[in-house]
Amino acid sequence: MTTGIIKINPDNFKGEELEEACHILKDGGLVAFPTETVYGLGGDALNPLAASKIYSAKGRPSDNPLIVHIACIESLYDIAEVTEDGLKLAKAFWPGPLTLVFKKKETVPPQTTGGLDTVAVRMPCHAVARELIKRSGVYIAAPSANLSGRPSPTQAKHVIEDLDGRIDIIIDGGSPDIGIESTIVDVSGSKAVILRPGYITKDMLKDVLCDVSTDPAIEGILPQKDIVAKAPGMKYRHYAPKGQLLIVEGSPDRVARKINSLVSEKDTEGYKTAVIATDETKDKYKCNIIKSIGTRKSENSIAASLYNILREMDYMEVQYIYSESFGAGILGGAVMNRMLKAAAGHIIQV
Ligand code: AMP
Ligand code: MG
């Protein structure tokens, strides 16, 4: 199949540019589109064939459920058994980077939910995503638009790299503001539980609901194969560059000393190495490739360039990647959750 590409300026578009993509969605085809978190790979959430196509295009395990994207709160009642906690969070944070898990209604086919009796729902705030949902009249099931296991796409070119020839159309709407996936909160039970950390933090959720806990599985480091797939991101290796990533954590000077010695060792053995540092620390390193992920003064800058940097490592065919840790601050938990998965749990303290 030939994959079409439409370029849209999210700050200045009419909506009619999306007509072809809307037809594709209504006909059960697949459309990659920008959101404020990462690019999504969308299909009609209520059409089992469309949902199945998403899994085959991504090479995604069939028990890893999809997030259903809607454009107004009323739509929630068509697909989910809405709970009081869920409604409070939806009203506080939608449209935005928060996904809520509810018990599903019959309308949602098991293909969309990976066979679970719950459904994950989000209302994005990206203008193009919202217009696409409204105009097509389709609830859009969309995981990230990458091949399974690869870093999530934060540019249309990342989607092209992974999915060209596998999907109908890609809407290029530039780079998302946030750059990491939504926070996922399970509100289907008696108590809200965070299943995946993200831009909306636990403290922000607690301002709305007093009782919010974190699923113990996301506090662990290694992907866990034998757990029930509550948020299956926990279960599979994710976000991974092709080279081996190692995170080194500790005081800046110790981290630099350790990374410089690891780099020198691997360089001597003839491998291609790279360092991921920050604007503040990049001069401490001796390596042929040193990339700054952003400034420690702006956590958003770090979150927004994480996946870009991991993909750049692939373009340069780096075999060993050494990175500082970015666990501090408000967004640190969300960033490190992705980094640790990308590193398959390889972290050392110095
Ligand atoms: P992605 O957008 O690629 O990160 O994939 C969507 C993620 O949402 C999945 O990997 C799950 O972690 C989560 N998810 C989707 N549906 C459910 C659900 N019914 N229950 C729990 N988590 C879900
Ligand atoms: Mg994903």
Side-chain angles (χ1 to χ4, degrees):
M1 135 187 342
T2 310
T3 302
I5 299 176
I6 314 176
K7 233 179 151 59
I8 286 192
N9 175 358
D11 299 321
N12 182 16
F13 71 105
K14 295 198 185 80
E16 60 210 32
E17 304 89 329
L18 296 171
E19 270 311 311
E20 187 188 353
C22 292
H23 283 298
I24 290 170
L25 285 170
K26 284 190 259 195
D27 290 345
L30 300 187
V31 174
F33 62 99
T35 80
E36 69 277 19
T37 59
V38 301
Y39 274 79
L41 174 59
D44 180 350
L46 306 188
N47 175 344
L49 283 176
S52 304
K53 278 193 209 164
I54 294 177
Y55 288 89
S56 27
K58 280 184 61 103
R60 183 176 177 102
S62 63
D63 64 347
N64 192 354
L66 311 175
I67 294 172
V68 180
H69 293 69
I70 59 175
C72 61
I73 288 206
E74 293 70 52
S75 304
L76 196 48
Y77 294 89
D78 291 342
I79 53 179
E81 299 294 347
V82 182
T83 56
E84 203 179 310
D85 281 359
L87 194 58
K88 277 190 196 156
L89 292 179
K91 284 186 173 159
F93 297 107
W94 284 359
L98 176 70
T99 296
L100 297 170
V101 174
F102 298 94
K103 286 261 180 302
K104 80 174 189 74
K105 284 203 171 141
E106 282 288 313
T107 40
V108 187
Q111 284 81 354
T112 295
T113 63
L116 299 175
D117 63 356
T118 49
V119 60
V121 191
R122 178 164 107 78
M123 191 198 299
C125 67
H126 194 285
V128 173
R130 290 174 64 77
E131 183 63 26
L132 187 67
I133 304 165
K134 280 194 224 154
R135 231 171 220 271
S136 65
V138 162
Y139 300 149
I140 304 181
S144 50
N146 51 283
L147 284 175
S148 196
R150 302 266 301 129
S152 299
T154 50
Q155 296 178 34
K157 82 166 184 187
H158 299 160
V159 184
I160 297 170
E161 276 159 30
D162 280 16
L163 299 176
D164 190 26
R166 303 169 77 94
I167 63 175
D168 296 288
I169 207 165
I170 298 170
I171 303 171
D172 178 352
S175 293
D177 290 337
I178 295 176
I180 56 172
E181 301 82 349
S182 57
T183 306
I184 302 181
V185 181
D186 185 351
V187 286
S188 67
S190 55
K191 187 177 159 160
V193 183
I194 301 173
L195 302 181
R196 176 171 76 186
Y199 188 81
I200 306 288
T201 62
K202 191 174 191 171
D203 284 342
M204 290 159 78
L205 296 165
K206 279 189 155 177
D207 284 341
V208 180
L209 298 181
C210 326
D211 207 3
V212 180
S213 64
T214 305
D215 193 291
I218 47 174
E219 275 153 5
I221 284 175
L222 285 168
Q224 298 164 43
K225 284 226 162 48
D226 51 353
I227 62 169
V228 177
K230 256 204 263 163
M234 301 166 178
K235 184 174 153 187
Y236 296 104
R237 184 158 184 243
H238 246 77
Y239 318 124
K242 290 172 186 151
Q244 160 110 54
L245 171 65
L246 174 72
I247 302 161
V248 182
E249 197 167 69
S251 72
D253 286 334
R254 282 179 183 219
V255 168
R257 227 175 299 137
K258 182 67 187 177
I259 287 182
N260 285 336
S261 108
L262 290 166
V263 165
S264 133
E265 211 174 280
K266 288 294 174 199
D267 282 351
T268 317
E269 291 169 22
Y271 291 106
K272 190 162 186 182
T273 55
V275 174
I276 301 179
T278 54
D279 292 355
E280 289 78 13
T281 54
K282 62 183 192 305
D283 296 333
K284 291 179 185 281
Y285 296 96
K286 291 190 202 79
C287 183
N288 289 330
I289 304 171
I290 302 164
K291 288 275 168 192
S292 171
I293 195 171
T295 164
R296 289 198 180 261
K297 292 185 200 118
S298 156
E299 288 190 280
N300 286 0
S301 73
I302 293 180
S305 47
L306 173 65
Y307 293 131
N308 279 340
I309 271 207
L310 294 179
R311 287 205 179 234
E312 274 182 44
M313 295 295 156
D314 288 350
Y315 306 149
M316 295 182 292
E317 300 181 333
V318 176
Q319 292 161 293
Y320 285 90
I321 308 158
Y322 299 100
S323 178
E324 296 176 5
S325 160
F326 310 105
I330 299 165
L331 276 185
V335 171
M336 283 312 284
N337 169 267
R338 275 62 171 185
M339 289 281 286
L340 283 165
K341 291 218 168 74
H346 293 114
I347 180 165
I348 51 173
Q349 315 280 339
V350 289

